[in-house]
Amino acid sequence: MMRFLRLIVCFIVLVFLAASTGCKSPLTAELDSEQPSATSRIKNKTYQDLIVGYAQIGAESEWRTANTASLKETAEELDIEFRFLDAQQKQENQIMALRKFIAQKVDVIGISPVVETGWEPIFQEAKEAGIPIILVDRWANVPDNLYVTYLGSDFVEEGRNSARVMVKLMNGKANIVELVGTIDSAPANGRAKGFREIVQDYPEMNIMDSESGDFTRARGKEAMENLLKKHGNKINAVFSHNDDMSLGAIQAIEEAGLRPGVDIKIVSVDAARGAFQAMIAGKLNATIECNPLLGPQFFDLVLKVVNGESVPKWVPSIESIYYPDDAAEILPTRKY
Ligand code: AHR
């Protein structure tokens, strides 16, 4: 009995000494290693933990199709639960989609707003539900605290670049008609603004008229037909807000018996494959790139946002300008 008591006393003394000198018995060390520290206790989320809702505009252009494919392919590669809704170019459908995502308590909402205005109430609802919003491709006119970041192009700069190219092409003298994208959309507003900023310094660069073709080929053709009826062969230049409308315009110009790219020079935006084919055929004079392949950057931002990392308020895409000279060489490398 005495031997047993001595053993217990020794054990208590040893444990006490180990604790007071900071040493740990293998058992306590093992238990401690299973206790997360204050910081590691908040486990970072991974792509597989996420549910992401996305309210896409529609499928109005070659650009948009490539944009949707990039988002869906990236979500699949990263194994993310991606809830995608196509709003068919209607703001009310995008608002309904957002309301659905809020009810489903998704982790993050991505949206390419079809127009710039009218988003504040629904964005506010998402904020109150604690769901961050990431603007993709198109900007919305809302207070800064209603979205975390905007990933997309500098539309004003695209407009400026279009004008710089047009000035060179026309030696500073032109009768231009403008094919405008969706009215009140960020790219239409930005491109129109940037184009005018440059052209205003050239008194003989005359913007005769503008008409919306809603970013689609069919509406672009219709708009160009109307403009040709109105102004006939006074028109010698077209600034088109996207490639799909340019392709429609090319058809309208040909049907009017004129040569697109020669009698009427055309500067376009997007740099989609269709524009490269038109440049190779000599029917389009330049295209200013607007990059739709935003899937990888979008999901990278999503992960940062859910894990509380700070992200810039605007993540601009990197873009170039393309001309007919090297269109044939570049076309095979184009992904959209
Ligand atoms: O928001 C980007 C624009 O939308 C692209 O220029 C156009 O083609 C698309 O539909």
Side-chain angles (χ1 to χ4, degrees):
M1 180 65 180
M2 278 306 283
R3 232 167 119 205
F4 179 66
L5 277 175
R6 239 180 271 133
L7 264 171
I8 289 191
V9 170
C10 279
F11 180 73
I12 292 171
V13 170
L14 274 172
V15 168
F16 176 77
L17 280 175
S20 62
T21 56
C23 298
K24 285 184 174 135
S25 74
L27 179 66
T28 51
E30 193 177 306
L31 283 175
D32 280 1
S33 74
E34 280 167 16
Q35 299 299 313
S37 68
T39 44
S40 68
R41 213 172 292 141
I42 309 155
K43 196 175 154 279
N44 268 358
K45 288 201 175 180
T46 67
Y47 285 124
Q48 291 79 21
D49 301 322
L50 303 180
I51 302 178
V52 179
Y54 198 95
Q56 179 60 292
I57 293 175
E60 75 283 5
S61 61
E62 210 180 330
W63 190 101
R64 187 69 51 203
T65 310
N67 179 243
T68 294
S70 169
L71 291 161
K72 286 186 175 171
E73 278 161 20
T74 314
E76 207 177 309
E77 273 162 30
L78 299 172
D79 199 14
I80 293 170
E81 186 170 337
F82 188 45
R83 301 189 182 162
F84 177 92
L85 289 170
D86 175 336
Q88 295 174 2
Q89 276 183 281
K90 291 202 173 73
Q91 182 174 33
E92 62 267 30
N93 290 347
Q94 283 194 304
I95 292 174
M96 262 158 43
L98 257 57
R99 205 153 274 140
K100 201 165 173 179
F101 295 145
I102 295 169
Q104 292 174 346
K105 298 186 170 49
V106 301
D107 294 292
V108 175
I109 293 174
I111 177 169
S112 303
V114 61
V115 290
E116 283 194 303
T117 50
W119 297 104
E120 224 174 299
I122 188 70
F123 279 26
Q124 187 64 43
E125 281 179 39
K127 189 178 165 73
E128 277 156 23
I131 303 176
I133 289 186
I134 298 182
L135 302 176
V136 184
D137 154 44
R138 293 191 187 180
W139 190 74
N141 194 356
V142 291
D144 273 10
N145 66 350
L146 293 188
Y147 67 96
V148 273
T149 181
Y150 162 56
L151 162 65
S153 306
D154 184 340
F155 296 129
V156 178
E157 188 57 18
E158 288 171 355
R160 289 189 198 113
N161 281 333
S162 304
R164 289 179 186 121
V165 170
M166 184 71 96
V167 167
K168 267 200 192 156
L169 203 62
M170 304 303 294
N171 294 318
K173 188 175 174 186
N175 284 329
I176 308 161
V177 294
E178 181 186 29
L179 295 176
V180 179
T182 301
I183 300 289
D184 191 33
S185 68
N189 291 343
R191 289 168 191 166
K193 179 173 184 281
F195 192 79
R196 282 161 179 77
E197 271 178 29
I198 301 297
V199 155
Q200 69 182 5
D201 292 336
Y202 297 85
E204 292 191 283
M205 295 286 289
N206 171 27
I207 305 173
M208 297 171 79
D209 211 340
S210 299
E211 187 162 330
S212 173
D214 208 15
F215 283 127
T216 70
R217 189 184 291 210
R219 297 279 309 278
K221 180 171 185 268
E222 251 174 61
M224 191 67 216
E225 283 165 355
N226 295 339
L227 291 164
L228 281 164
K229 264 187 216 136
K230 232 165 130 183
H231 306 284
N233 52 12
K234 271 196 210 130
I235 303 168
N236 59 6
V238 173
F239 167 43
S240 164
H241 288 193
N242 86 340
D243 289 341
D244 286 72
M245 292 190 297
S246 301
L247 297 179
I250 287 172
Q251 246 180 292
I253 294 168
E254 285 179 326
E255 285 172 16
L258 296 162
R259 292 169 301 166
V262 181
D263 301 321
I264 300 182
K265 305 269 200 259
I266 308 172
V267 174
S268 183
V269 185
D270 275 357
R273 290 177 67 85
F276 281 82
Q277 279 148 358
M279 286 197 289
I280 293 167
K283 297 178 182 182
L284 181 75
N285 303 87
T287 184
I288 312 318
E289 186 174 38
C290 176
N291 185 7
L293 308 176
L294 302 174
Q297 276 176 291
F298 170 64
F299 288 110
D300 182 55
L301 286 168
V302 166
L303 196 64
K304 286 188 172 135
V305 167
V306 292
N307 284 322
E309 282 182 48
S310 72
V311 292
K313 208 65 195 176
W314 178 15
V315 182
S317 12
I318 299 156
E319 298 165 345
S320 306
I321 301 176
Y322 297 99
Y323 299 94
D325 285 355
D326 34 10
E329 194 189 319
I330 293 172
L331 177 61
T333 68
R334 297 300 290 168
K335 296 209 172 69
Y336 67 99

